[in-house]
Amino acid sequence: MSGSMATGPAPATTRQADARLTDGGYLGFVLAMGLSALGDAAWYVTLAWTVTADTGPARAGAVLALASLPRLVTLLGAGALVDSAGPRRVMVGADLARCTVMALAAAGALALGPGVPLLVAAAAGLALFGAFFIPASGALRAGLLPEQHLVRGNALYLGALRGGQAAGGPLGGVLMALGGIPLVAAVNAVTYAVSALAVFRVRTRRERAAARAEPVPDEDPGTAAPQPSLAARIGEGLRAVAAAPRLRAVITVIGLTEFAGAGPINIGVALMANRNGSAAAGAGLLLTAFTVGAAAGFLLSLVWPARRRAGLVLALGTAGQTLSLAALAWAPTTAAALAPYAGLGLVSALVGTVLVSCVQRWAPEAVRGRVVSIQALLIFGAAPLGNLVIGVLVAWAGMTWALLLHALVALTALGTVLLVPLLREARLD
């Protein structure tokens, strides 16, 4: 009897313990996503520069904000499509569509010149198809990563995206000098094609287990059933969040932390530099400090992932965001603001990685794409709203009070974490 047990399949816990972060081609998937982010950043830096040069800063801001609207409008419906069609299929389709948009933009810029209407139409197309890619990516990563590596895998993925975004700006300048808008668009098209290939080749835990003739524990493949209307499916996702206390709490904290940081990070660097008399060079230094802090946060999450102490990381991170924003409010010089901005980058990476992992772990598989789309809507909606609010607050009450009010929002996020046991005691082990 002992001999037959020894030759049988390994227990689920043993298989899970043997799983690695790189299983199923995850590392190649992450590298491809970083490459795609690199091309994307190069494109958007070039786009912003061209539109600003042709229309002026004020109109450029409005035009680029309008071009991003398709993403916000489409996100919830995209999450419903992810749950019905599957995340890999949606990601590949979105990447191929974005590759086509960029190829057409390159051809159009060569034939007609890089006019603002053409560039804005291309930006709107990228925003539209990007809305499908974002929830699909979050849902797919939950299926790719072994549960014990979820935090580390998300840190690696988000760090690759941030690294690609940081390097994309200088790359956009080089490509613009070498071949102009057509070359930038063509390079971005290639990065989307590489991303589509990487997504197509990656294998989920269920697929890897099926190849080994092993069951996947705690996952239900579901059964085919008639699909309700799009509005009904979106409603199911919203009700799933509203009915689950821990999902409801984590989505609330995501909204609060994103809103607290969006304005001070996106617009605040320029406002802070101007207040302290250092203009563009100072804004660049502050943004660099934030990026360095974020890189350190992702590295920490990769080396020492928050598993049993996820709730503690959320509490410390939201407290750190509150203190960093308060320190910025009274920073007398740009040099004094460098450490608080680096702190903001550090805690945004640590808290963001844990929050994303909580959503992926806690969302039921059947509605995971829709829950991730709600999370993404809050994240991407926080940027334009936060930029508007901080501008109004600075004009009304001054920079110090504007930042203190943002610190109050972060303090509310901290209070939510401390008062909700499901967050305060959250575990991701």
Side-chain angles (χ1 to χ4, degrees), residues 31 56 133 169 201 203 209 242 273 279 382:
L31 292 175
F133 185 91
R201 291 172 58 86
R203 291 294 173 261

Side-chain angles (χ1 to χ4, degrees), residues 52 65 104 153-154 171 185 326 334 351:
T52 300
L104 291 174
N154 279 321
L171 176 65
T334 298
V351 172

